[in-house]
Amino acid sequence: MRELSICLPSGTLLAACSWGRPSSSHRVLALHGWMDNAATFTSLGPGIAHQCDCYVVAIDLPGHGRSATGASPSGVYHYAEHVLAAAGALEALGWFDSDHGFSLLGHSMGGGVCTMLAAAYTEFTRRLGLVEGLGPLSRPTSLMAKQLRSSLDAVLKESRGRGSRSRHYDTISAAAAARVLSARRLPGTQYITEASARVLAERGCEPIEAGRFRFSHDRRLALPSPVPFAAESNLLVDLIG
């Protein structure tokens, strides 16, 4: 595994991991899920690179892992900004060419971002691989006003210094255990193994005072967007059709 630093056209720096030959004509951009990081692909990345003789680059999306923060001036991370960041990474890598193009691999939120990229750049997208994610997170238009109110209240609460605070852990193992528990609290049947959680925690934690640790992701990632995608969006129809 090689560590990379990718400078987006906006000047934002993204951290990334890569596997395989950079000279390979088969390039894969891998995108992780919400609150995770590029270590999501620690096992899958080298396996794909070896089996398919391709070059895999997994980025830490803005505000995640070791990348710089990328919230809007309001402090909210709009979904579209992750799409812009991924497109910026493709541009910085020089992968927008008709001869080779690229493949996209996404997990959860990263799958939604990959779906949107594939819909926007059909002429460059060779393959699309999705793990637990299909299309962007959306809301029915009937709930837009409620979503807007929820976002405004959360942003104002954060601005008053009453938002969520980072939790501190005595060890990386304790942080990994907390990641396992957080998955179980999410809707549905979310699950992550302790081993996988530790891999994410090792990349996603930073040391603080007294030998303790905290997750390095921007806590403002939890702020709801005031303008989610509408459930009636036909991005998937455009992509499949």
Short mmCIF file of all heavy atoms in Angstrom, two decimals, residues 76 78 146-156 223-227:
data_model
loop_
_atom_site.label_atom_id
_atom_site.label_comp_id
_atom_site.label_asym_id
_atom_site.label_seq_id
_atom_site.Cartn_x
_atom_site.Cartn_y
_atom_site.Cartn_z
N VAL A 76 -21.91 22.88 6.98
CA VAL A 76 -22.58 21.65 6.55
C VAL A 76 -21.81 21.01 5.40
O VAL A 76 -21.29 21.70 4.52
CB VAL A 76 -24.02 21.95 6.10
CG1 VAL A 76 -24.68 20.70 5.51
CG2 VAL A 76 -24.84 22.48 7.27
N HIS A 78 -22.47 19.25 2.30
CA HIS A 78 -23.50 18.89 1.34
C HIS A 78 -23.05 17.66 0.56
O HIS A 78 -21.88 17.52 0.21
CB HIS A 78 -23.77 20.05 0.37
CG HIS A 78 -24.27 21.29 1.05
ND1 HIS A 78 -25.52 21.35 1.63
CD2 HIS A 78 -23.68 22.49 1.25
CE1 HIS A 78 -25.69 22.56 2.15
NE2 HIS A 78 -24.59 23.26 1.96
N LYS A 146 -39.46 19.83 6.58
CA LYS A 146 -39.03 19.24 7.85
C LYS A 146 -37.52 19.03 7.87
O LYS A 146 -36.86 19.28 8.88
CB LYS A 146 -39.76 17.91 8.06
CG LYS A 146 -39.45 17.24 9.39
CD LYS A 146 -40.26 15.96 9.56
CE LYS A 146 -39.94 15.29 10.89
NZ LYS A 146 -40.73 14.03 11.07
N GLN A 147 -36.97 18.58 6.75
CA GLN A 147 -35.52 18.39 6.64
C GLN A 147 -34.78 19.72 6.77
O GLN A 147 -33.76 19.82 7.45
CB GLN A 147 -35.18 17.74 5.30
CG GLN A 147 -33.68 17.61 5.01
CD GLN A 147 -33.02 16.51 5.79
OE1 GLN A 147 -33.69 15.63 6.31
NE2 GLN A 147 -31.69 16.54 5.88
N LEU A 148 -35.32 20.75 6.13
CA LEU A 148 -34.71 22.08 6.21
C LEU A 148 -34.69 22.58 7.64
O LEU A 148 -33.68 23.09 8.13
CB LEU A 148 -35.47 23.06 5.31
CG LEU A 148 -35.03 24.51 5.35
CD1 LEU A 148 -33.57 24.65 4.93
CD2 LEU A 148 -35.93 25.37 4.46
N ARG A 149 -35.81 22.44 8.35
CA ARG A 149 -35.88 22.88 9.74
C ARG A 149 -34.87 22.11 10.60
O ARG A 149 -34.18 22.70 11.45
CB ARG A 149 -37.29 22.69 10.28
CG ARG A 149 -37.44 22.98 11.78
CD ARG A 149 -37.06 24.42 12.14
NE ARG A 149 -37.14 24.65 13.57
CZ ARG A 149 -38.24 25.12 14.18
NH1 ARG A 149 -39.33 25.38 13.48
NH2 ARG A 149 -38.24 25.30 15.48
N SER A 150 -34.79 20.82 10.41
CA SER A 150 -33.85 20.00 11.18
C SER A 150 -32.41 20.45 10.96
O SER A 150 -31.62 20.55 11.91
CB SER A 150 -34.01 18.53 10.78
OG SER A 150 -33.05 17.72 11.42
N SER A 151 -32.09 20.76 9.71
CA SER A 151 -30.73 21.21 9.40
C SER A 151 -30.44 22.58 10.01
O SER A 151 -29.39 22.79 10.62
CB SER A 151 -30.54 21.28 7.87
OG SER A 151 -29.27 21.79 7.54
N LEU A 152 -31.37 23.51 9.87
CA LEU A 152 -31.16 24.85 10.41
C LEU A 152 -30.99 24.81 11.93
O LEU A 152 -30.10 25.48 12.49
CB LEU A 152 -32.34 25.75 10.05
CG LEU A 152 -32.50 26.08 8.56
CD1 LEU A 152 -33.79 26.86 8.33
CD2 LEU A 152 -31.30 26.86 8.05
N ASP A 153 -31.82 24.04 12.61
CA ASP A 153 -31.71 23.92 14.06
C ASP A 153 -30.36 23.34 14.47
O ASP A 153 -29.73 23.81 15.43
CB ASP A 153 -32.83 23.03 14.61
CG ASP A 153 -34.19 23.72 14.60
OD1 ASP A 153 -34.23 24.94 14.37
OD2 ASP A 153 -35.20 23.02 14.82
N ALA A 154 -29.89 22.32 13.75
CA ALA A 154 -28.62 21.68 14.08
C ALA A 154 -27.45 22.62 13.84
O ALA A 154 -26.51 22.69 14.65
CB ALA A 154 -28.45 20.41 13.25
N VAL A 155 -27.48 23.38 12.74
CA VAL A 155 -26.39 24.31 12.43
C VAL A 155 -26.34 25.44 13.45
O VAL A 155 -25.26 25.83 13.93
CB VAL A 155 -26.56 24.87 11.00
CG1 VAL A 155 -25.57 26.02 10.77
CG2 VAL A 155 -26.35 23.77 9.97
N LEU A 156 -27.49 25.97 13.82
CA LEU A 156 -27.53 27.05 14.81
C LEU A 156 -27.08 26.55 16.18
O LEU A 156 -26.38 27.26 16.92
CB LEU A 156 -28.94 27.63 14.90
CG LEU A 156 -29.41 28.39 13.65
CD1 LEU A 156 -30.87 28.81 13.79
CD2 LEU A 156 -28.52 29.60 13.38
N LEU A 223 -24.01 16.90 10.73
CA LEU A 223 -25.06 17.91 10.53
C LEU A 223 -25.88 17.56 9.29
O LEU A 223 -25.32 17.30 8.21
CB LEU A 223 -24.44 19.30 10.35
CG LEU A 223 -23.72 19.89 11.57
CD1 LEU A 223 -23.06 21.21 11.21
CD2 LEU A 223 -24.70 20.08 12.73
N PRO A 224 -27.19 17.53 9.40
CA PRO A 224 -28.03 17.19 8.23
C PRO A 224 -28.00 18.28 7.18
O PRO A 224 -27.94 19.47 7.49
CB PRO A 224 -29.42 17.04 8.84
CG PRO A 224 -29.40 17.88 10.07
CD PRO A 224 -28.00 17.78 10.61
N SER A 225 -28.04 17.88 5.93
CA SER A 225 -28.04 18.84 4.83
C SER A 225 -29.40 19.51 4.70
O SER A 225 -30.43 18.85 4.83
CB SER A 225 -27.69 18.14 3.51
OG SER A 225 -27.85 19.03 2.41
N PRO A 226 -29.43 20.81 4.43
CA PRO A 226 -30.72 21.49 4.25
C PRO A 226 -31.35 21.19 2.89
O PRO A 226 -32.54 21.43 2.69
CB PRO A 226 -30.35 22.97 4.37
CG PRO A 226 -28.93 23.03 3.90
CD PRO A 226 -28.30 21.75 4.38
N VAL A 227 -30.55 20.67 1.97
CA VAL A 227 -31.06 20.43 0.60
C VAL A 227 -30.69 19.01 0.16
O VAL A 227 -29.82 18.82 -0.68
CB VAL A 227 -30.50 21.47 -0.40
CG1 VAL A 227 -31.21 22.79 -0.26
CG2 VAL A 227 -28.99 21.66 -0.21
#
